[in-house]
Amino acid sequence: MPQGTRDFSAAVIFKRNYILETIQTVFELYGFEPLQTPAIENLDTLTGKYGEEGDKLLFKILNNGLDNPSKKELVNTEFDKVLNGRSSKYITERALRYDLTIPFARYVATNFNQLTMPFKRYQVQPVWRADRPQKGRYREFYQCDADIAGSTSLMNDAELCLLYADVFERLKLNVSVKINSRKILSGLASLINAKEHLSAITIAIDKLDKVGLAKVKEDLSAFLKEDQVTIIEKYLTISGNNDQQLLKAKDLFNEVEEGMAGISELEEIITLASAEIQKTKQVSLSVDLTLARGLNYYTGSIFEVKANDAAIGSIGGGGRYDDLTGLFGLPGVAGVGISFGVDRIFDVMEDLALFPNNIFQGSKVLFFNLGKTESLTAFSFLQQLRHQGISGQLYHENAKLDRQFKFATKKN
Amino acid sequence: MPQGTRDFSAAVIFKRNYILETIQTVFELYGFEPLQTPAIENLDTLTGKYGEEGDKLLFKILNNGLDNPSKKELVNTEFDKVLNGRSSKYITERALRYDLTIPFARYVATNFNQLTMPFKRYQVQPVWRADRPQKGRYREFYQCDADIAGSTSLMNDAELCLLYADVFERLKLNVSVKINSRKILSGLASLINAKEHLSAITIAIDKLDKVGLAKVKEDLSAFLKEDQVTIIEKYLTISGNNDQQLLKAKDLFNEVEEGMAGISELEEIITLASAEIQKTKQVSLSVDLTLARGLNYYTGSIFEVKANDAAIGSIGGGGRYDDLTGLFGLPGVAGVGISFGVDRIFDVMEDLALFPNNIFQGSKVLFFNLGKTESLTAFSFLQQLRHQGISGQLYHENAKLDRQFKFATKKN
């Protein structure tokens, strides 16, 4: 079995399905429709979308028919391209899905005229990455996304916060939904006149959780002056409840338009969502100005979900993007989306023993096999039970009773 | 999007799920447990298992890190092997799953000591084949299998017939479950002293449905004498109900042990299953001595399901095999399994309009957006509905009412 992949046995599948079905039920309650895209995409749909590192992590599929002897010389020449990190349609023109966002973008761009905007889709499928396998990181794993394409309304952002809340409330998992805006981070770069360093600043801030403030300041000092770093430190240490944080941020950003826009968007999202979220038992919604969400394509609000009772990274995240389908020739489709980290949610729920006891759906009834005639009667009873939705089995052969008892015990 | 692959939109997914959930529910009622294996398998798990043609249809995955310049010369040499149809661990050591049986066999062989025998598993996952795409044949498609490993009891074979019956009864699809035995076909080859031609005979008989008796006789005449072909013709034209067919077959096979064994096994399976199958409205179980099931590894009973009201090939099939896991170093694990042709079942049900009307689970309620304050109230109502399991949406922005009406109409 290949490194970084897993077989899922029944016991694990029932638990995973409990999580996935909870999420899917909530997706549908919020008006999202399912979408499934193929595991295999054209290589040029995927390359260049995930950065240079991402391109290296694509699982490329070898074209078939290469062993046609008449093509041998061409193949050798073309393979040189692949060796040099370029692609060759002749050697490989397909690859495995790397995430669910780019296939979704391709789908929206291709079917735009048939779709009613805003288009709300959810997608729960595996993705593949040639990452170095390690604990909790797999080469084949499930992503679980919901996106709204074709609307700039912040109501969507608020609804996604509510959706997070609903799912974790149902899973009985204690979480904080953290929210920030890329516009605020961008405003911060403007504030210190270092717009050209925006992505370096974002990357540095993104590490705060793991490395601490001192190290972040050190990283920033590599390309920023002391007074610039001081302002960022001031920003990163803003504290208080949501209202207090946003008030302090307003003071700081006073004259920076982009920062103020980000703050007012957060205010609107919080106003829309907080009354409903306050009704939940397990979920809080809080501004986190240090939230950065790594290097991806977000341009507006960004979200991250942390489990309160487990020392584990984020179990969900997402954000708003200005231009979902531009890369596929359809500019101007804005969107916002979130995703659930199913593997991590599984681990946390396992650690906290949050799976209900009645998840495992093994057989309820076992008929002992007492011989042929009795089997016929048992068959008839079994069918009656099954028609009433009760799972049952007849022991497969007329074995000694202690063997049949042993089987019954093992199967509970 | 790659040739031979498909995006599934919501309308299609709900219908496919209706089929898949029906099948899975019945699988579980019969005591089968779910199993999921990774899409990616090691190449040497798959090669040599599907014949020479099958090997060519594997989607091989290019190893990562080939573009390391220091390895260039080695890669060029190794790639020659791939060009010559051999495999090179250095270029490719993984491939996409080609069916669900070999991964199941690998799983059973690897986990044999942890599994309670007989092990009843079902598996519903996509598989990939580099076949030439054509109508109804895809490069990525779902298989839907149930197998019982580790038992030679014919009770299992009978249960699988009942399982077929239960599924198609629930789907309201009129079908015939046909049954034959490889032992009978093998006995036929013995009867005419042409054991060495068994697979050629099997292939010829397998085409009967498509090409007719005259052509089958012509094919057989290429390697058999006239009196041998005459006996096969006599066998192929045996008619009547199940009892009559088996009686005539007994006459024919009189002294051929293997043939008689096959007949008596069919009798036992039919005795076990027929009383319950006769209670169904849609399903019949009938002996079909012309059934051959192509070139696969079956050694005992073989099954095939045909839709009675549609001119389409088989919508399900399966059979018994002596040795599931021998290729993975664990000999002597017998088994029997069936599979459902989900794509074809979908097409037939679509043609016959058998999908229930209430399958499509779109939003039930749409709140018009009348402004910010009203939105807050609408949000609160929406959440109450959602908590009662009613799907709803609030129109995403305060647009003109006719635009909101249009959206409501499109979304029903």
Side-chain angles (χ1 to χ4, degrees), chain A residues 8 28 30 36 56 60 62 64 67 83 151 153 159 386 391 396, chain B residues 8 28 30 36 56 60 62 64 67 83 151 153 386 391 396:
Chain A
F8 292 123
E28 292 186 7
Y30 279 73
Q36 292 171 2
K56 284 192 183 161
K60 293 173 190 163
L62 211 54
N64 288 75
D67 52 352
L83 291 183
S151 166
S153 164
E159 280 230 300
R386 286 166 178 164
S391 166
H396 64 117
Chain B
F8 293 122
E28 292 186 6
Y30 280 73
Q36 291 171 2
K56 283 192 183 160
K60 293 173 189 162
L62 213 54
N64 288 75
D67 53 350
L83 291 183
S151 166
S153 163
R386 286 165 178 164
S391 166
H396 64 117

PDB file of all heavy atoms in Angstrom, chain A residues 8 28 30 36 56 60 62 64 67 83 151 153 159 386 391 396, chain B residues 8 28 30 36 56 60 62 64 67 83 151 153 386 391 396:
ATOM      1  N   PHE A   8      -9.723   2.410   4.931  1.00  0.00           N
ATOM      2  CA  PHE A   8     -10.662   2.737   6.007  1.00  0.00           C
ATOM      3  C   PHE A   8     -11.541   1.522   6.267  1.00  0.00           C
ATOM      4  O   PHE A   8     -12.291   1.084   5.397  1.00  0.00           O
ATOM      5  CB  PHE A   8     -11.541   3.923   5.634  1.00  0.00           C
ATOM      6  CG  PHE A   8     -10.783   5.230   5.540  1.00  0.00           C
ATOM      7  CD1 PHE A   8     -10.795   5.972   4.373  1.00  0.00           C
ATOM      8  CD2 PHE A   8     -10.065   5.706   6.623  1.00  0.00           C
ATOM      9  CE1 PHE A   8     -10.099   7.181   4.285  1.00  0.00           C
ATOM     10  CE2 PHE A   8      -9.363   6.904   6.550  1.00  0.00           C
ATOM     11  CZ  PHE A   8      -9.384   7.643   5.382  1.00  0.00           C
ATOM     12  N   GLU A  28     -26.743  21.484   3.150  1.00  0.00           N
ATOM     13  CA  GLU A  28     -27.998  21.513   2.397  1.00  0.00           C
ATOM     14  C   GLU A  28     -29.040  22.402   3.070  1.00  0.00           C
ATOM     15  O   GLU A  28     -29.823  23.077   2.399  1.00  0.00           O
ATOM     16  CB  GLU A  28     -28.516  20.088   2.178  1.00  0.00           C
ATOM     17  CG  GLU A  28     -27.582  19.329   1.225  1.00  0.00           C
ATOM     18  CD  GLU A  28     -28.060  17.938   0.821  1.00  0.00           C
ATOM     19  OE1 GLU A  28     -29.193  17.562   1.165  1.00  0.00           O
ATOM     20  OE2 GLU A  28     -27.277  17.225   0.165  1.00  0.00           O
ATOM     21  N   TYR A  30     -28.432  25.059   4.442  1.00  0.00           N
ATOM     22  CA  TYR A  30     -28.062  26.437   4.096  1.00  0.00           C
ATOM     23  C   TYR A  30     -28.162  26.692   2.590  1.00  0.00           C
ATOM     24  O   TYR A  30     -27.709  27.720   2.100  1.00  0.00           O
ATOM     25  CB  TYR A  30     -26.643  26.750   4.603  1.00  0.00           C
ATOM     26  CG  TYR A  30     -26.636  27.097   6.080  1.00  0.00           C
ATOM     27  CD1 TYR A  30     -26.824  26.118   7.037  1.00  0.00           C
ATOM     28  CD2 TYR A  30     -26.476  28.415   6.520  1.00  0.00           C
ATOM     29  CE1 TYR A  30     -26.842  26.418   8.381  1.00  0.00           C
ATOM     30  CE2 TYR A  30     -26.488  28.719   7.871  1.00  0.00           C
ATOM     31  CZ  TYR A  30     -26.672  27.718   8.796  1.00  0.00           C
ATOM     32  OH  TYR A  30     -26.693  28.023  10.139  1.00  0.00           O
ATOM     33  N   GLN A  36     -19.749  17.084  -7.761  1.00  0.00           N
ATOM     34  CA  GLN A  36     -18.618  16.148  -7.780  1.00  0.00           C
ATOM     35  C   GLN A  36     -17.858  16.343  -9.078  1.00  0.00           C
ATOM     36  O   GLN A  36     -18.459  16.374 -10.150  1.00  0.00           O
ATOM     37  CB  GLN A  36     -19.105  14.696  -7.662  1.00  0.00           C
ATOM     38  CG  GLN A  36     -19.705  14.370  -6.292  1.00  0.00           C
ATOM     39  CD  GLN A  36     -20.382  13.009  -6.240  1.00  0.00           C
ATOM     40  OE1 GLN A  36     -20.380  12.266  -7.204  1.00  0.00           O
ATOM     41  NE2 GLN A  36     -20.977  12.691  -5.099  1.00  0.00           N
ATOM     42  N   LYS A  56       5.009  21.113  -7.810  1.00  0.00           N
ATOM     43  CA  LYS A  56       5.866  19.947  -7.546  1.00  0.00           C
ATOM     44  C   LYS A  56       5.114  18.840  -6.836  1.00  0.00           C
ATOM     45  O   LYS A  56       5.521  17.687  -6.870  1.00  0.00           O
ATOM     46  CB  LYS A  56       7.070  20.362  -6.695  1.00  0.00           C
ATOM     47  CG  LYS A  56       8.121  21.091  -7.503  1.00  0.00           C
ATOM     48  CD  LYS A  56       9.411  21.229  -6.726  1.00  0.00           C
ATOM     49  CE  LYS A  56      10.421  22.032  -7.532  1.00  0.00           C
ATOM     50  NZ  LYS A  56      11.477  22.575  -6.691  1.00  0.00           N
ATOM     51  N   LYS A  60       1.288  13.517 -11.261  1.00  0.00           N
ATOM     52  CA  LYS A  60       1.060  13.525 -12.704  1.00  0.00           C
ATOM     53  C   LYS A  60       0.841  12.109 -13.208  1.00  0.00           C
ATOM     54  O   LYS A  60       1.467  11.157 -12.726  1.00  0.00           O
ATOM     55  CB  LYS A  60       2.254  14.135 -13.424  1.00  0.00           C
ATOM     56  CG  LYS A  60       2.425  15.606 -13.131  1.00  0.00           C
ATOM     57  CD  LYS A  60       3.722  16.119 -13.720  1.00  0.00           C
ATOM     58  CE  LYS A  60       3.987  17.531 -13.215  1.00  0.00           C
ATOM     59  NZ  LYS A  60       5.390  17.910 -13.427  1.00  0.00           N
ATOM     60  N   LEU A  62       1.034   9.342 -16.153  1.00  0.00           N
ATOM     61  CA  LEU A  62       1.755   9.007 -17.368  1.00  0.00           C
ATOM     62  C   LEU A  62       0.754   8.735 -18.493  1.00  0.00           C
ATOM     63  O   LEU A  62      -0.224   8.021 -18.292  1.00  0.00           O
ATOM     64  CB  LEU A  62       2.568   7.743 -17.076  1.00  0.00           C
ATOM     65  CG  LEU A  62       3.896   7.498 -17.757  1.00  0.00           C
ATOM     66  CD1 LEU A  62       4.841   8.673 -17.576  1.00  0.00           C
ATOM     67  CD2 LEU A  62       4.524   6.232 -17.179  1.00  0.00           C
ATOM     68  N   ASN A  64      -0.877   7.013 -21.685  1.00  0.00           N
ATOM     69  CA  ASN A  64      -0.846   5.626 -22.127  1.00  0.00           C
ATOM     70  C   ASN A  64      -0.388   5.551 -23.579  1.00  0.00           C
ATOM     71  O   ASN A  64      -0.457   6.535 -24.306  1.00  0.00           O
ATOM     72  CB  ASN A  64      -2.226   4.998 -21.948  1.00  0.00           C
ATOM     73  CG  ASN A  64      -2.520   4.773 -20.484  1.00  0.00           C
ATOM     74  OD1 ASN A  64      -2.820   5.713 -19.761  1.00  0.00           O
ATOM     75  ND2 ASN A  64      -2.381   3.551 -20.029  1.00  0.00           N
ATOM     76  N   ASP A  67       4.515   3.161 -25.042  1.00  0.00           N
ATOM     77  CA  ASP A  67       5.387   2.048 -25.409  1.00  0.00           C
ATOM     78  C   ASP A  67       5.264   1.666 -26.885  1.00  0.00           C
ATOM     79  O   ASP A  67       5.778   0.637 -27.300  1.00  0.00           O
ATOM     80  CB  ASP A  67       5.121   0.834 -24.511  1.00  0.00           C
ATOM     81  CG  ASP A  67       3.654   0.458 -24.472  1.00  0.00           C
ATOM     82  OD1 ASP A  67       2.832   1.233 -25.011  1.00  0.00           O
ATOM     83  OD2 ASP A  67       3.326  -0.585 -23.909  1.00  0.00           O
ATOM     84  N   LEU A  83      11.943  16.162 -17.202  1.00  0.00           N
ATOM     85  CA  LEU A  83      13.082  16.143 -16.285  1.00  0.00           C
ATOM     86  C   LEU A  83      13.474  17.553 -15.884  1.00  0.00           C
ATOM     87  O   LEU A  83      13.911  17.791 -14.765  1.00  0.00           O
ATOM     88  CB  LEU A  83      14.287  15.468 -16.952  1.00  0.00           C
ATOM     89  CG  LEU A  83      14.159  13.975 -17.201  1.00  0.00           C
ATOM     90  CD1 LEU A  83      15.444  13.439 -17.793  1.00  0.00           C
ATOM     91  CD2 LEU A  83      13.865  13.267 -15.886  1.00  0.00           C
ATOM     92  N   SER A 151     -21.334  36.490  -5.832  1.00  0.00           N
ATOM     93  CA  SER A 151     -21.982  37.470  -4.962  1.00  0.00           C
ATOM     94  C   SER A 151     -20.946  38.141  -4.068  1.00  0.00           C
ATOM     95  O   SER A 151     -20.099  37.463  -3.482  1.00  0.00           O
ATOM     96  CB  SER A 151     -23.052  36.797  -4.098  1.00  0.00           C
ATOM     97  OG  SER A 151     -23.436  37.659  -3.043  1.00  0.00           O
ATOM     98  N   SER A 153     -22.024  40.089  -1.594  1.00  0.00           N
ATOM     99  CA  SER A 153     -22.743  40.426  -0.361  1.00  0.00           C
ATOM    100  C   SER A 153     -22.091  39.794   0.871  1.00  0.00           C
ATOM    101  O   SER A 153     -21.790  38.598   0.895  1.00  0.00           O
ATOM    102  CB  SER A 153     -24.192  39.947  -0.478  1.00  0.00           C
ATOM    103  OG  SER A 153     -24.797  39.910   0.795  1.00  0.00           O
ATOM    104  N   GLU A 159     -23.329  34.123   6.818  1.00  0.00           N
ATOM    105  CA  GLU A 159     -23.971  32.806   6.796  1.00  0.00           C
ATOM    106  C   GLU A 159     -22.955  31.685   6.966  1.00  0.00           C
ATOM    107  O   GLU A 159     -23.247  30.660   7.598  1.00  0.00           O
ATOM    108  CB  GLU A 159     -24.718  32.618   5.476  1.00  0.00           C
ATOM    109  CG  GLU A 159     -26.063  33.301   5.455  1.00  0.00           C
ATOM    110  CD  GLU A 159     -27.148  32.355   4.991  1.00  0.00           C
ATOM    111  OE1 GLU A 159     -27.032  31.865   3.855  1.00  0.00           O
ATOM    112  OE2 GLU A 159     -28.088  32.086   5.771  1.00  0.00           O
ATOM    113  N   ARG A 386     -35.192  -7.993   7.552  1.00  0.00           N
ATOM    114  CA  ARG A 386     -34.549  -7.039   6.660  1.00  0.00           C
ATOM    115  C   ARG A 386     -35.574  -6.089   6.055  1.00  0.00           C
ATOM    116  O   ARG A 386     -35.295  -4.899   5.886  1.00  0.00           O
ATOM    117  CB  ARG A 386     -33.801  -7.795   5.555  1.00  0.00           C
ATOM    118  CG  ARG A 386     -32.517  -8.453   6.058  1.00  0.00           C
ATOM    119  CD  ARG A 386     -31.968  -9.458   5.061  1.00  0.00           C
ATOM    120  NE  ARG A 386     -30.715 -10.056   5.531  1.00  0.00           N
ATOM    121  CZ  ARG A 386     -30.182 -11.159   5.027  1.00  0.00           C
ATOM    122  NH1 ARG A 386     -30.804 -11.813   4.039  1.00  0.00           N
ATOM    123  NH2 ARG A 386     -29.042 -11.622   5.488  1.00  0.00           N
ATOM    124  N   SER A 391     -30.885  -5.372  10.309  1.00  0.00           N
ATOM    125  CA  SER A 391     -29.804  -6.096   9.663  1.00  0.00           C
ATOM    126  C   SER A 391     -29.577  -7.433  10.341  1.00  0.00           C
ATOM    127  O   SER A 391     -29.555  -7.522  11.568  1.00  0.00           O
ATOM    128  CB  SER A 391     -28.527  -5.259   9.731  1.00  0.00           C
ATOM    129  OG  SER A 391     -27.416  -6.032   9.402  1.00  0.00           O
ATOM    130  N   HIS A 396     -22.869 -18.949   8.153  1.00  0.00           N
ATOM    131  CA  HIS A 396     -22.753 -19.412   6.769  1.00  0.00           C
ATOM    132  C   HIS A 396     -22.684 -20.920   6.596  1.00  0.00           C
ATOM    133  O   HIS A 396     -22.837 -21.415   5.496  1.00  0.00           O
ATOM    134  CB  HIS A 396     -21.530 -18.757   6.119  1.00  0.00           C
ATOM    135  CG  HIS A 396     -20.242 -19.163   6.767  1.00  0.00           C
ATOM    136  ND1 HIS A 396     -19.266 -19.846   6.112  1.00  0.00           N
ATOM    137  CD2 HIS A 396     -19.792 -19.004   8.042  1.00  0.00           C
ATOM    138  CE1 HIS A 396     -18.252 -20.066   6.933  1.00  0.00           C
ATOM    139  NE2 HIS A 396     -18.546 -19.566   8.110  1.00  0.00           N
TER     140      HIS A 396
ATOM    141  N   PHE B   8     -20.418  15.812 -11.929  1.00  0.00           N
ATOM    142  CA  PHE B   8     -21.787  15.474 -11.553  1.00  0.00           C
ATOM    143  C   PHE B   8     -22.425  16.673 -10.866  1.00  0.00           C
ATOM    144  O   PHE B   8     -21.950  17.113  -9.815  1.00  0.00           O
ATOM    145  CB  PHE B   8     -21.820  14.265 -10.613  1.00  0.00           C
ATOM    146  CG  PHE B   8     -21.385  12.981 -11.257  1.00  0.00           C
ATOM    147  CD1 PHE B   8     -20.323  12.264 -10.747  1.00  0.00           C
ATOM    148  CD2 PHE B   8     -22.034  12.501 -12.382  1.00  0.00           C
ATOM    149  CE1 PHE B   8     -19.912  11.072 -11.340  1.00  0.00           C
ATOM    150  CE2 PHE B   8     -21.640  11.311 -12.987  1.00  0.00           C
ATOM    151  CZ  PHE B   8     -20.574  10.597 -12.463  1.00  0.00           C
ATOM    152  N   GLU B  28     -25.977  -3.430   3.999  1.00  0.00           N
ATOM    153  CA  GLU B  28     -25.842  -3.462   5.462  1.00  0.00           C
ATOM    154  C   GLU B  28     -26.894  -4.366   6.097  1.00  0.00           C
ATOM    155  O   GLU B  28     -26.611  -5.037   7.093  1.00  0.00           O
ATOM    156  CB  GLU B  28     -25.877  -2.038   6.036  1.00  0.00           C
ATOM    157  CG  GLU B  28     -24.624  -1.267   5.610  1.00  0.00           C
ATOM    158  CD  GLU B  28     -24.470   0.118   6.232  1.00  0.00           C
ATOM    159  OE1 GLU B  28     -25.278   0.481   7.111  1.00  0.00           O
ATOM    160  OE2 GLU B  28     -23.531   0.831   5.821  1.00  0.00           O
ATOM    161  N   TYR B  30     -27.837  -7.039   4.946  1.00  0.00           N
ATOM    162  CA  TYR B  30     -27.348  -8.400   4.748  1.00  0.00           C
ATOM    163  C   TYR B  30     -26.032  -8.655   5.495  1.00  0.00           C
ATOM    164  O   TYR B  30     -25.373  -9.662   5.288  1.00  0.00           O
ATOM    165  CB  TYR B  30     -27.189  -8.697   3.254  1.00  0.00           C
ATOM    166  CG  TYR B  30     -28.508  -9.050   2.598  1.00  0.00           C
ATOM    167  CD1 TYR B  30     -29.460  -8.075   2.356  1.00  0.00           C
ATOM    168  CD2 TYR B  30     -28.823 -10.368   2.257  1.00  0.00           C
ATOM    169  CE1 TYR B  30     -30.681  -8.379   1.785  1.00  0.00           C
ATOM    170  CE2 TYR B  30     -30.045 -10.686   1.679  1.00  0.00           C
ATOM    171  CZ  TYR B  30     -30.967  -9.688   1.443  1.00  0.00           C
ATOM    172  OH  TYR B  30     -32.184  -9.990   0.887  1.00  0.00           O
ATOM    173  N   GLN B  36     -13.174   1.127   2.510  1.00  0.00           N
ATOM    174  CA  GLN B  36     -12.679   2.071   1.510  1.00  0.00           C
ATOM    175  C   GLN B  36     -11.172   1.894   1.391  1.00  0.00           C
ATOM    176  O   GLN B  36     -10.471   1.864   2.392  1.00  0.00           O
ATOM    177  CB  GLN B  36     -13.014   3.519   1.913  1.00  0.00           C
ATOM    178  CG  GLN B  36     -14.507   3.831   1.844  1.00  0.00           C
ATOM    179  CD  GLN B  36     -14.863   5.174   2.452  1.00  0.00           C
ATOM    180  OE1 GLN B  36     -14.002   5.914   2.903  1.00  0.00           O
ATOM    181  NE2 GLN B  36     -16.157   5.487   2.487  1.00  0.00           N
ATOM    182  N   LYS B  56      -2.242  -2.561 -19.787  1.00  0.00           N
ATOM    183  CA  LYS B  56      -2.117  -1.387 -20.649  1.00  0.00           C
ATOM    184  C   LYS B  56      -3.112  -0.292 -20.274  1.00  0.00           C
ATOM    185  O   LYS B  56      -2.931   0.861 -20.628  1.00  0.00           O
ATOM    186  CB  LYS B  56      -2.346  -1.790 -22.110  1.00  0.00           C
ATOM    187  CG  LYS B  56      -1.146  -2.496 -22.709  1.00  0.00           C
ATOM    188  CD  LYS B  56      -1.291  -2.623 -24.216  1.00  0.00           C
ATOM    189  CE  LYS B  56      -0.104  -3.392 -24.766  1.00  0.00           C
ATOM    190  NZ  LYS B  56      -0.392  -3.954 -26.103  1.00  0.00           N
ATOM    191  N   LYS B  60      -0.869   5.007 -14.858  1.00  0.00           N
ATOM    192  CA  LYS B  60       0.317   5.012 -14.008  1.00  0.00           C
ATOM    193  C   LYS B  60       0.656   6.432 -13.573  1.00  0.00           C
ATOM    194  O   LYS B  60       0.490   7.377 -14.348  1.00  0.00           O
ATOM    195  CB  LYS B  60       1.501   4.423 -14.770  1.00  0.00           C
ATOM    196  CG  LYS B  60       1.333   2.947 -15.066  1.00  0.00           C
ATOM    197  CD  LYS B  60       2.449   2.457 -15.971  1.00  0.00           C
ATOM    198  CE  LYS B  60       2.152   1.044 -16.450  1.00  0.00           C
ATOM    199  NZ  LYS B  60       2.956   0.697 -17.625  1.00  0.00           N
ATOM    200  N   LEU B  62       3.354   9.211 -12.426  1.00  0.00           N
ATOM    201  CA  LEU B  62       4.761   9.566 -12.540  1.00  0.00           C
ATOM    202  C   LEU B  62       5.324   9.834 -11.140  1.00  0.00           C
ATOM    203  O   LEU B  62       4.712  10.552 -10.349  1.00  0.00           O
ATOM    204  CB  LEU B  62       4.834  10.840 -13.386  1.00  0.00           C
ATOM    205  CG  LEU B  62       6.010  11.111 -14.305  1.00  0.00           C
ATOM    206  CD1 LEU B  62       6.251   9.956 -15.260  1.00  0.00           C
ATOM    207  CD2 LEU B  62       5.754  12.386 -15.097  1.00  0.00           C
ATOM    208  N   ASN B  64       7.445  11.559  -8.249  1.00  0.00           N
ATOM    209  CA  ASN B  64       7.835  12.962  -8.075  1.00  0.00           C
ATOM    210  C   ASN B  64       9.337  13.052  -7.838  1.00  0.00           C
ATOM    211  O   ASN B  64       9.968  12.073  -7.466  1.00  0.00           O
ATOM    212  CB  ASN B  64       7.051  13.565  -6.908  1.00  0.00           C
ATOM    213  CG  ASN B  64       5.606  13.762  -7.306  1.00  0.00           C
ATOM    214  OD1 ASN B  64       4.850  12.813  -7.375  1.00  0.00           O
ATOM    215  ND2 ASN B  64       5.251  14.992  -7.631  1.00  0.00           N
ATOM    216  N   ASP B  67      12.745  15.547 -11.564  1.00  0.00           N
ATOM    217  CA  ASP B  67      13.454  16.687 -12.162  1.00  0.00           C
ATOM    218  C   ASP B  67      14.716  17.084 -11.381  1.00  0.00           C
ATOM    219  O   ASP B  67      15.309  18.122 -11.637  1.00  0.00           O
ATOM    220  CB  ASP B  67      12.507  17.882 -12.320  1.00  0.00           C
ATOM    221  CG  ASP B  67      11.811  18.226 -11.014  1.00  0.00           C
ATOM    222  OD1 ASP B  67      11.923  17.436 -10.053  1.00  0.00           O
ATOM    223  OD2 ASP B  67      11.155  19.273 -10.957  1.00  0.00           O
ATOM    224  N   LEU B  83       9.247   2.625 -21.840  1.00  0.00           N
ATOM    225  CA  LEU B  83       8.934   2.647 -23.262  1.00  0.00           C
ATOM    226  C   LEU B  83       8.765   1.247 -23.811  1.00  0.00           C
ATOM    227  O   LEU B  83       7.966   0.994 -24.700  1.00  0.00           O
ATOM    228  CB  LEU B  83      10.057   3.352 -24.041  1.00  0.00           C
ATOM    229  CG  LEU B  83      10.185   4.845 -23.798  1.00  0.00           C
ATOM    230  CD1 LEU B  83      11.271   5.411 -24.683  1.00  0.00           C
ATOM    231  CD2 LEU B  83       8.872   5.540 -24.090  1.00  0.00           C
ATOM    232  N   SER B 151     -15.387 -18.328   2.893  1.00  0.00           N
ATOM    233  CA  SER B 151     -16.434 -19.323   3.095  1.00  0.00           C
ATOM    234  C   SER B 151     -16.791 -19.976   1.770  1.00  0.00           C
ATOM    235  O   SER B 151     -16.963 -19.304   0.758  1.00  0.00           O
ATOM    236  CB  SER B 151     -17.684 -18.674   3.702  1.00  0.00           C
ATOM    237  OG  SER B 151     -18.790 -19.549   3.590  1.00  0.00           O
ATOM    238  N   SER B 153     -19.466 -21.947   1.662  1.00  0.00           N
ATOM    239  CA  SER B 153     -20.881 -22.301   1.783  1.00  0.00           C
ATOM    240  C   SER B 153     -21.710 -21.665   0.669  1.00  0.00           C
ATOM    241  O   SER B 153     -21.603 -20.469   0.385  1.00  0.00           O
ATOM    242  CB  SER B 153     -21.397 -21.834   3.144  1.00  0.00           C
ATOM    243  OG  SER B 153     -22.805 -21.806   3.147  1.00  0.00           O
ATOM    244  N   ARG B 386     -33.988  25.953   9.964  1.00  0.00           N
ATOM    245  CA  ARG B 386     -32.892  25.010   9.765  1.00  0.00           C
ATOM    246  C   ARG B 386     -32.776  24.043  10.944  1.00  0.00           C
ATOM    247  O   ARG B 386     -32.493  22.859  10.755  1.00  0.00           O
ATOM    248  CB  ARG B 386     -31.576  25.772   9.572  1.00  0.00           C
ATOM    249  CG  ARG B 386     -31.472  26.426   8.201  1.00  0.00           C
ATOM    250  CD  ARG B 386     -30.360  27.457   8.152  1.00  0.00           C
ATOM    251  NE  ARG B 386     -30.236  28.044   6.807  1.00  0.00           N
ATOM    252  CZ  ARG B 386     -29.577  29.169   6.562  1.00  0.00           C
ATOM    253  NH1 ARG B 386     -28.979  29.831   7.537  1.00  0.00           N
ATOM    254  NH2 ARG B 386     -29.510  29.647   5.328  1.00  0.00           N
ATOM    255  N   SER B 391     -34.569  23.349   4.861  1.00  0.00           N
ATOM    256  CA  SER B 391     -33.522  24.086   4.171  1.00  0.00           C
ATOM    257  C   SER B 391     -34.046  25.425   3.675  1.00  0.00           C
ATOM    258  O   SER B 391     -35.142  25.515   3.130  1.00  0.00           O
ATOM    259  CB  SER B 391     -33.025  23.254   2.990  1.00  0.00           C
ATOM    260  OG  SER B 391     -32.259  24.035   2.125  1.00  0.00           O
ATOM    261  N   HIS B 396     -29.322  37.042  -1.324  1.00  0.00           N
ATOM    262  CA  HIS B 396     -28.024  37.511  -0.846  1.00  0.00           C
ATOM    263  C   HIS B 396     -27.864  39.025  -0.800  1.00  0.00           C
ATOM    264  O   HIS B 396     -26.935  39.523  -0.188  1.00  0.00           O
ATOM    265  CB  HIS B 396     -26.910  36.887  -1.681  1.00  0.00           C
ATOM    266  CG  HIS B 396     -26.947  37.303  -3.120  1.00  0.00           C
ATOM    267  ND1 HIS B 396     -25.947  38.001  -3.706  1.00  0.00           N
ATOM    268  CD2 HIS B 396     -27.911  37.130  -4.059  1.00  0.00           C
ATOM    269  CE1 HIS B 396     -26.265  38.217  -4.985  1.00  0.00           C
ATOM    270  NE2 HIS B 396     -27.442  37.696  -5.214  1.00  0.00           N
TER     271      HIS B 396
END
